[in-house]
Amino acid sequence: MASSKIRRLGMQCGAVIMALGLAACTGTPGPSPSSSTGTSAPAEPTATFNFGTASMPLGLDPAVTSDSEAYRVTRQVLEGLVGVDGSTGQTTPLLATEWKDSNNGLSYDFTLREKVTFHDGTPFDAAAVCANFNRWFTFPADLRKQAPGISFQSVFKAYSDAPDFSIFKDCKVVSPTDVQINLTRPFTGFLQALTLPAFAISSPKALEAQKANVLDTARNGQAISAYATHPVGTGPFMFSAWDEQKLTLTTNQAYWGNRGQIATINFIPYDRAETRQQALLDGRIDAYDLVTSGTFDQLVKKGVQIVQRDPFSVMYLGINQAVAPLDKLEVRQAIEMSIDKETLIRRFFIDNTAQASQFVPPKLSGFNNNAPSLGYNPDKAKELLKKAGYNGEELKFYYPLNATRAYLPTPEKIYAEISRQLVAVGINVKPVPINWEDGYLQKVQSPGDHALHLLGWNGSYADADNFLGPLFGEARPEFGYSDADVFHKIERARALPNGDGRNTEYQSINAEIAASVPAVPIAFPISALALSNKVESYPASPVLNEVFTNVRLKP
């Protein structure tokens, strides 16, 4: 009974966070979420916290990766100018204590927190902020090819070699504690976008010393920089060590805010849900993420605390229109009609996971209740394939091995079921399994022969642009999708002020994307964490902004 109560409380808290977090986020300053509020000196952190993850990170430079496991670690080490309040969803002070916009939303002035140092002892100041923005703006073309998931492009649209197309104009040092960021055109979600892990501020000295823009180090099948093996920020935890067994962070004794109870974090990878579960039951870890539907009930029966996050991700079947015959709408429609989403969700996702007919979650402004959905209709799918002249051409179907993500709990099983459904309507599928740590993400997001693939997107801030912009705001080799009209509409919507007009525009965009089927959205998954009895509370966040200074351990 106790475990059921904890589970219900976790669900309720997640729902409150989500409901409040989806309100319009403003730049109104408030108390720092990390600062100490008591009058007495806080106790020195002493605890060791072992956290089970689904895989090792794909690198620890968040500016050049879109990997959620990388973000989990770098959120502890690096901080941005602004953060997100976990209970209200408001943009809050972090490395900036105040801000204001001017010039019709084209200029943002930030007052920076004083007496903050990077982990390498160098000072945090306006020059450091501009060094980071200028690095992102001037990313060399070679790096951009090696790292196709860079957030700067999806948010700011272009780099210094195409300044007329970039939303970012420049960063100016006004004084050591004042910085101004200028845009070329209004961007309503600018402040919210700055809460992305990709825009956390690194030590300029460390970036230069470790050649952060040179991806000449191999790790887990990925090309990364030396800096991506040892990030240096201002956060409450410092990078300590990383080997095949674990990644270790230690408390930052010079941290400007609350350091919490934890002195050492060990992130320990277990690529199977069953092995993560057993490690928790054996006491080898104190918590783990990404409980799957197959282990959920077992954990509840054993009295394990489970905290659920409200859905803020979308799982989809990617379709690459650069591969014939997927350039034909009828073939893409047939693929959508061949997929039984209800069966997939019932078998492989946690209860209350909702079907998806679009890429924006239902609680976000811009969600379209009337977005066209073709539904599950295998007979109609066969008719469309015949009409399109499909003659059984082989379609390579990429899917990841040894991976669990909030949006993709058991990829091998999900692949097997989707493949079975596609074959049932006459589609010739060739399986292409790729280990997640052998470059799966880069392979499906780069030009290639991937016809179909499994992937998803986890939102990082409460704006429809955070979903539609990165996925469909520009031509991407993941989908071979090049609808200039949709690109223009997304560009226009992101500059509109919050309100009915912007909401209507995003609803129209959702409907247009759904009608052209560049991918098949399948589910808005609920994700969950399991906690040992050692944990009193965990800061579960729909946007995964979970800083471990806010973990509370029992006395």
Side-chain angles (χ1 to χ4, degrees), residues 154 157 313-316 358-360 445 453 455-458 464-481 486-487 490 513 518-519 521:
S154 64
K157 295 303 175 185
S313 65
V314 58
M315 178 255 165
Y316 59 79
Q358 57 194 286
F359 294 86
V360 174
Q445 291 182 336
H453 66 276
L455 205 59
W457 180 260
N458 201 94
D465 184 69
N466 183 227
F467 285 82
L468 298 184
L471 293 173
F472 304 112
E474 61 189 358
R476 298 187 70 215
E478 179 180 355
F479 304 115
Y481 176 72
V486 168
F487 298 164
I490 291 176
I513 292 172

Side-chain angles (χ1 to χ4, degrees), residues 49-384:
F49 192 69
N50 295 321
F51 189 89
T53 65
S55 66
M56 279 294 189
L58 297 180
L60 297 177
D61 181 356
V64 296
T65 184
S66 56
D67 176 46
S68 57
E69 292 299 348
Y71 289 166
R72 189 195 306 277
V73 175
T74 60
R75 285 185 190 277
Q76 322 301 324
V77 176
L78 304 169
E79 297 174 306
L81 293 178
V82 293
V84 178
D85 186 284
S87 60
T88 68
Q90 296 292 314
T91 306
T92 60
L94 205 53
L95 289 178
T97 58
E98 295 180 309
W99 54 86
K100 63 179 180 180
D101 66 274
S102 58
N103 193 19
N104 295 316
L106 296 180
S107 295
Y108 287 79
D109 294 282
F110 295 89
T111 300
L112 305 181
R113 194 174 297 278
E114 298 185 47
K115 299 179 181 179
V116 175
T117 59
F118 290 102
H119 300 156
D120 59 9
T122 58
F124 164 76
D125 55 18
V129 173
C130 286
N132 278 264
F133 272 91
N134 291 334
R135 178 207 173 201
W136 305 327
F137 186 46
T138 61
F139 272 147
D142 287 346
L143 180 145
R144 281 138 53 183
K145 290 179 181 178
Q146 289 178 284
I150 296 176
S151 292
F152 186 89
Q153 181 162 347
S154 64
V155 171
F156 293 104
K157 295 303 175 185
Y159 300 93
S160 58
D161 52 5
D164 292 342
F165 299 100
S166 180
I167 293 175
F168 177 80
K169 182 179 180 181
D170 58 38
C171 179
K172 293 183 177 179
V173 175
V174 179
S175 74
T177 57
D178 295 278
V179 65
Q180 182 180 83
I181 298 173
N182 297 299
L183 308 180
T184 61
R185 51 192 183 274
F187 174 27
T188 302
F190 173 67
L191 285 169
Q192 294 97 309
L194 290 188
T195 67
L196 287 169
F199 301 125
I201 306 299
S202 294
S203 160
K205 177 181 177 181
L207 290 171
E208 181 178 1
Q210 299 181 79
K211 298 181 179 179
N213 287 358
V214 181
L215 309 189
D216 59 354
T217 299
R219 186 144 203 161
N220 296 329
Q222 301 294 305
I224 62 175
S225 68
Y227 178 76
T229 68
H230 192 149
V232 180
T234 59
F237 294 95
M238 302 169 59
F239 177 86
S240 178
W242 184 8
D243 58 31
E244 293 181 358
Q245 281 72 46
K246 63 183 178 180
L247 191 155
T248 302
L249 307 179
T250 55
T251 185
N252 174 14
Q253 295 184 354
Y255 185 55
W256 58 267
N258 174 31
R259 292 165 58 203
Q261 297 173 270
I262 298 171
T264 303
I265 309 171
N266 293 311
F267 294 101
I268 306 171
Y270 299 90
D271 58 17
R272 298 286 176 179
E274 295 78 11
T275 55
R276 291 195 294 278
Q277 173 185 285
Q278 195 58 50
L280 183 76
L281 296 176
D282 291 345
R284 287 177 282 138
I285 57 176
D286 303 305
Y288 76 85
D289 200 359
L290 306 179
V291 174
T292 61
S293 60
T295 59
F296 194 105
D297 289 344
Q298 299 173 40
L299 290 166
V300 171
K301 289 177 181 178
K302 293 179 181 294
V304 174
Q305 303 178 68
I306 296 177
V307 176
Q308 295 191 20
R309 304 182 186 94
D310 270 10
F312 204 58
S313 65
V314 58
M315 178 255 165
Y316 59 79
L317 172 67
I319 301 175
N320 184 5
Q321 295 180 38
V323 175
L326 299 179
D327 55 337
K328 297 180 179 180
L329 177 59
E330 293 90 348
V331 175
R332 301 196 303 276
Q333 289 175 329
I335 289 172
E336 179 178 352
M337 288 184 176
S338 70
I339 296 176
D340 182 356
K341 299 178 184 179
E342 182 180 349
T343 294
L344 288 165
I345 290 171
R346 185 179 68 252
R347 291 185 180 179
F348 307 120
F349 292 86
I350 291 174
D351 288 350
N352 299 316
T353 289
Q355 286 191 39
S357 62
Q358 57 194 286
F359 294 86
V360 174
K363 293 184 179 180
L364 272 184
S365 296
F367 177 81
N368 188 341
N369 287 315
N370 299 311
S373 176
L374 300 175
Y376 175 53
N377 192 336
D379 291 335
K380 181 65 174 178
K382 293 175 184 178
E383 292 177 12
L384 285 172

